[in-house]
């Protein structure tokens, strides 16, 4: 084992006091109908990707456990959400926009108070660095603030009657019903909340099941949810997906399915719903975003962007660059500069200052990455960076694999980890063909300076991808930009404003513009007789 790996995992005593978990956190609580319930059944252990050194051996940290609920508890949570929605007659879906916003604002205040606890758990549960964990928390709070603002704007635009072809009407967005929200383990807070908060604010009721990792970090927020929303509006369950969530889908009572994960997982769950036409799905799924480095690209910039694009959070981002096409004229210099930058990434624990590479949380992930690399080697590629592909326990040092070709699994499979496949190319058609034939369609990054050549690629990709990045890595932000994908990569579009739309539907009240009808409408508005038909302007 190289010295590099020998020093990755710490002795327990080397963990800073502020970040140490001295006692395992046994969580038995879950939230149903505004009540914090206590689970007395089996628990699911929470293993951290962090191992500690003890003498000559390594021990994986068990940092706690969470309830292994069954379908019975999941269905109780669903009943609570169904009751709170009450066929659209419940308190929450009929509450005014201003009042719903007040509930979300109350939640945000309580959530902010839990920042340090949530950040610490993000580090321990998924191995995200302190800096990125803080960023995830703060970005989520900003997202909530911006969602409130966007909802006010949306409502202001609806606070009027329109007249068209002898009709007058008021059009507003209303909730869809009961939402099931499930997030991914790589952004267990942020991505989950980018569906959960819009679902709630638009008046839907929710059953929320945390991701497979990054579960304990929701616990500090349960009281905030309980105290900020009316009973049954938000219900939080834990346990195995198939048993809990599968049971929910089979009832046919889920109206909205918001899921960020694999397309296989989404398909398996979607097909359990007995009336698929009644299920609205909002999905963020797999991706294999390519970078294309043209011969006239600014190589230093391309390398910098491809380093963060492929290796930030160890490549565990759905938006990560997962395959890099580099023109043969510049591939040698690209690889040399790329490897120099990889070497500067500091391996270590999430709380280590300046850390750039950390252990990965998925059991079996290191072995999977090793398999991909071995397969590529079998078909003629090499690991071309120093220490590339070395591993210890849950830590995998980035492997830059070159030259990658169509024979290799790395060409097609989403590695979701620190392996960087580099494909040399002569003709731009080779990269175009890759995108057109890919099962995925999230984003692509083009690096170059020749506007005509870039324009040609843009036009080749616009009907295949959700976003085309020029001289920049692929990414979700800014959160006001539309975030979506084609093929197996997504269903629906998210962004701060789009999320409000996907969790709602436009409904209108319309009448012929006769004097009598105008009189009725005018009375309703002036006397504030309807919550829907109203021209009140939110300040
Ligand atoms: O994992 C997918 C996330 O939406 C990526 O977000 O591009 O801001 O890291 P990001």
């Amino acid at each position: 084992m190289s010295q590099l790996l020998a020093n990755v995992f710490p002795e327990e005593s080397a963990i800073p006091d502020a970040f140490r978990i001295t006692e395992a956190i046994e969580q038995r609580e879950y939230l149903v109908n505004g009540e914090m319930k206590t689970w007395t059944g089996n628990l699911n252990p929470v293993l951290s990707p962090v191992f500690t050194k003890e003498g000559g051996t390594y021990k994986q940290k068990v940092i706690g456990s969470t309830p292994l609920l069954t379908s019975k508890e999941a269905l109780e949570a669903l009943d609570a959400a169904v009751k709170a929605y009450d066929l659209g007659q419940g308190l929450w879906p009929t509450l005014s926009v201003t009042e719903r916003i007040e509930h979300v604002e109350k939640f945000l205040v309580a959530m902010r108070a839990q920042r340090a606890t949530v950040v610490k758990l993000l580090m321990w549960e998924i191995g995200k660095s302190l800096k990125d964990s803080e960023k995830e928390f703060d970005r989520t709070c900003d997202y909530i603030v911006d969602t409130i603002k966007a909802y006010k704007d949306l409502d202001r635009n609806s606070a009027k009657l329109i007249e068209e072809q002898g009709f007058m009407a008021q059009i507003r967005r209303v909730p869809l019903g009961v939402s099931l929200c499930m997030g991914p383990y790589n952004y267990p807070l942020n991505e989950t909340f980018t569906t959960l908060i819009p679902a709630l604010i638009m008046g839907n009721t929710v059953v929320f099941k945390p991701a497979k990792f990054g579960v304990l970090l929701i616990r500090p927020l349960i009281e905030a949810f309980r105290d900020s929303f009316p009973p049954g509006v938000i219900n939080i369950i834990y346990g195995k997906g198939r048993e809990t969530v599968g049971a929910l889908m089979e009832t046919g009572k889920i109206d909205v399915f918001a899921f960020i994960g694999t397309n296989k997982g989404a398909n398996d769950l979607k097909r359990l719903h007995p009336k698929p036409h009644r299920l609205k799905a909002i999905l963020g799924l797999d991706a294999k975003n390519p970078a294309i480095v043209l011969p006239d690209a600014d190589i230093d910039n391309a390398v910098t962007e491809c380093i963060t694009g492929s290796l930030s959070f160890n490549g565990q981002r759905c938006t990560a660059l997962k395959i890099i096409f580099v023109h043969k004229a510049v591939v040698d210099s690209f690889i040399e500069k790329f490897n120099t930058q990889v070497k500067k990434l500091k391996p270590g624990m999430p709380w280590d200052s300046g850390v750039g590479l950390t252990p990965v949380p998925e059991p079996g992930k290191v072995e999977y990455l090793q398999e991909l690399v071995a397969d590529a080697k079998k078909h003629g590629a090499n690991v071309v960076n120093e220490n590339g592909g070395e591993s210890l326990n849950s830590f995998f040092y980035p492997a830059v694999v070159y030259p990658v070709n169509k024979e290799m699994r790395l060409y097609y499979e989403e590695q979701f980890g620190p392996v960087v496949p580099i494909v040399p190319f002569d003709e731009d058609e080779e990269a175009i063909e890759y995108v057109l034939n890919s099962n995925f369609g999230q984003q692509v990054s083009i690096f170059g300076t020749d506007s005509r050549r870039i324009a040609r690629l843009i036009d080749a990709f616009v009907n295949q991808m959700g976003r085309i990045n020029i001289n920049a890595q692929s990414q979700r932000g800014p959160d006001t930009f539309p975030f979506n994908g084609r093929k197996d990569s997504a269903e629906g579009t998210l962004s701060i404003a789009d999320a409000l739309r996907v969790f709602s539907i436009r409904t209108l009240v319309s009448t012929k513009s006769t004097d009598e009808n105008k009189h009725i409408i005018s009375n309703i508005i002036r006397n504030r007789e309807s919550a829907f038909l109203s021209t009140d302007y939110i300040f």
Side-chain angles (χ1 to χ4, degrees):
M1 185 205 318
S2 70
Q3 201 51 31
L4 185 98
L5 293 193
N7 295 326
V8 164
F9 292 104
E11 309 257 347
E12 180 76 37
S13 58
I15 301 171
D17 286 347
F19 303 125
R20 196 172 294 164
I21 292 186
T22 43
E23 229 175 90
I25 305 159
E26 186 182 281
Q27 179 188 336
R28 290 194 171 273
E29 302 79 18
Y30 62 105
L31 184 67
V32 172
N33 204 24
E35 202 188 314
M36 187 89 97
K37 303 239 183 201
T38 304
W39 170 244
T40 52
N42 292 338
L43 297 173
N44 203 15
V46 179
L47 295 169
S48 171
V50 172
F51 284 65
T52 48
K53 268 198 260 190
E54 278 185 18
T57 60
Y58 290 92
K59 198 168 154 206
Q60 185 163 18
K61 287 279 288 183
V62 180
I63 56 169
S65 48
T66 54
L68 260 181
L69 303 182
T70 67
S71 55
K72 179 172 170 283
E73 294 71 38
L75 290 169
E76 279 166 12
L78 176 62
D79 285 347
V82 168
K83 191 166 135 242
Y85 193 71
D86 193 16
L87 302 173
Q89 313 304 298
L91 169 68
W92 188 247
T94 56
L95 216 52
S96 72
V97 171
T98 314
E99 285 168 301
R100 277 209 297 268
I101 287 175
E102 281 167 7
H103 284 274
V104 174
E105 283 172 338
K106 183 176 176 192
F107 172 76
L108 180 58
V109 171
M111 174 178 166
R112 285 193 200 275
Q114 299 299 328
R115 183 179 188 265
T117 315
V118 173
V119 164
K120 182 171 165 180
L121 286 167
L122 268 168
M123 290 192 286
W124 276 100
E125 288 195 83
I126 61 165
K128 191 169 274 191
S129 71
L130 172 61
K131 193 166 140 250
D132 284 350
S133 297
E134 288 175 337
K135 200 162 119 197
E136 177 163 351
F137 190 92
D138 296 339
R139 178 181 179 182
T140 308
C141 294
D142 291 346
Y143 191 95
I144 298 175
V145 171
D146 291 342
T147 297
I148 291 170
K149 190 172 162 296
Y151 192 23
K152 285 183 180 171
D153 287 343
L154 188 68
D155 194 74
R156 283 171 189 145
N157 287 334
S158 316
K160 60 179 185 236
L161 296 172
I162 52 168
E163 292 221 42
E164 194 72 51
Q165 296 177 26
F167 286 88
M168 55 195 298
Q170 183 169 29
I171 308 170
R172 278 186 185 283
R173 300 204 78 96
V174 295
L176 295 166
V178 176
S179 294
L180 170 61
C181 292
M182 297 170 71
Y185 79 79
N186 61 335
Y187 281 90
L189 184 76
N190 181 262
E191 287 236 295
T192 311
F193 278 41
T194 60
T195 61
L196 182 60
I197 296 296
L200 286 171
I201 209 166
M202 292 310 292
N204 303 282
T205 60
V206 171
V207 178
F208 160 37
K209 181 174 174 302
K212 61 179 172 176
F213 314 115
V215 188
L216 281 172
L217 61 90
I218 299 298
R219 172 65 189 88
L221 303 174
I222 294 188
E223 283 87 351
F225 278 118
R226 181 195 61 192
D227 300 341
S228 307
F229 296 98
V233 169
I234 165 89
N235 306 277
I236 307 177
I237 58 166
Y238 298 85
K240 299 265 180 253
R242 185 61 183 83
E243 160 121 28
T244 54
V245 182
L248 301 186
M249 290 299 254
E250 281 167 352
T251 64
K253 292 179 184 171
I254 300 290
D255 302 301
V256 190
F257 177 44
F259 175 87
I260 322 255
T262 62
N263 74 79
K264 182 180 178 311
N267 285 337
D268 289 349
L269 286 169
K270 256 179 105 170
R271 65 167 67 95
L272 294 176
H273 198 289
K275 293 186 178 178
H277 66 279
R278 286 177 69 156
L279 181 70
K280 176 156 184 189
I282 298 142
L283 312 175
L285 308 171
D286 324 51
K288 181 89 177 170
N289 296 341
I292 301 164
V293 182
L294 298 170
D296 57 353
D298 171 345
I299 297 295
D300 290 325
N301 174 62
V303 165
T304 306
E305 292 291 320
C306 288
I307 285 281
T308 34
S310 60
L311 290 174
S312 57
F313 191 37
N314 314 299
Q316 300 166 116
R317 293 162 55 233
C318 62
T319 47
L321 291 173
K322 298 196 178 99
I323 186 160
I324 306 181
F325 287 80
V326 187
H327 195 274
K328 281 184 184 161
V330 290
V331 71
D332 290 340
S333 98
F334 180 90
I335 290 176
E336 191 190 328
K337 290 181 178 196
F338 192 88
N339 287 347
T340 306
Q341 294 302 322
V342 172
K343 215 171 167 180
K344 288 185 187 159
L345 298 172
K346 180 177 157 187
M349 292 298 104
W351 43 81
D352 291 343
S353 139
V355 72
L357 302 166
T358 52
V360 296
E362 272 184 292
K365 188 57 174 267
V366 166
E367 292 74 13
Y368 169 68
L369 298 174
Q370 282 165 344
E371 257 179 46
L372 289 181
V373 172
D375 171 77
K377 281 182 172 169
K378 196 171 82 192
H379 291 96
N382 290 304
V383 173
V384 293
N385 62 316
E386 206 181 319
N387 302 112
E390 286 186 11
S391 63
L392 175 66
N393 303 319
S394 53
F395 186 89
F396 186 94
Y397 190 78
V400 181
V401 183
Y402 175 81
V404 166
N405 62 40
K406 289 178 185 170
E407 305 303 313
M408 303 169 188
R409 288 170 61 189
L410 259 180
Y411 193 79
Y412 308 95
E413 286 180 36
E414 179 184 23
Q415 65 273 37
F416 212 77
V419 175
V420 186
I422 297 183
V423 185
F425 73 94
D426 275 317
E427 302 295 332
D428 296 4
E429 272 59 32
E430 295 167 49
I432 294 175
E433 190 205 334
Y434 179 83
V435 170
L436 302 194
N437 294 319
S438 170
N439 282 330
F440 309 111
Q442 194 197 63
Q443 298 192 23
V444 57
S445 290
I446 305 167
F447 295 92
T449 50
D450 176 349
S451 60
R452 287 170 73 104
R453 195 162 177 176
I454 293 173
R456 191 173 155 253
L457 290 172
I458 292 174
D459 289 353
F461 297 148
V462 280
N463 296 334
Q464 289 284 323
M465 293 294 203
R467 174 166 166 170
I468 292 127
N469 304 281
I470 311 297
N471 292 321
Q473 63 154 320
S474 46
Q475 58 185 3
R476 177 175 179 147
D479 286 329
T480 46
F481 282 8
F483 178 53
N484 60 19
R486 316 279 286 252
K487 303 178 187 170
D488 290 346
S489 285
E491 187 172 334
T493 298
L494 289 172
S495 79
I496 286 163
D498 284 303
L500 298 176
R501 294 190 179 90
V502 295
F503 283 99
S504 60
I505 184 166
R506 285 188 301 167
T507 291
L508 62 148
V509 175
S510 166
T511 185
K512 284 189 176 159
S513 300
T514 62
D515 285 347
E516 196 184 348
N517 286 338
K518 282 182 183 167
H519 183 66
I520 294 169
I521 299 290
S522 164
N523 272 346
I524 292 175
I525 292 174
R526 195 170 321 110
N527 303 331
R528 296 203 156 80
E529 289 164 354
S530 162
F532 182 96
L533 197 60
S534 153
T535 53
D536 281 355
Y537 187 89
I538 304 182
F539 289 96

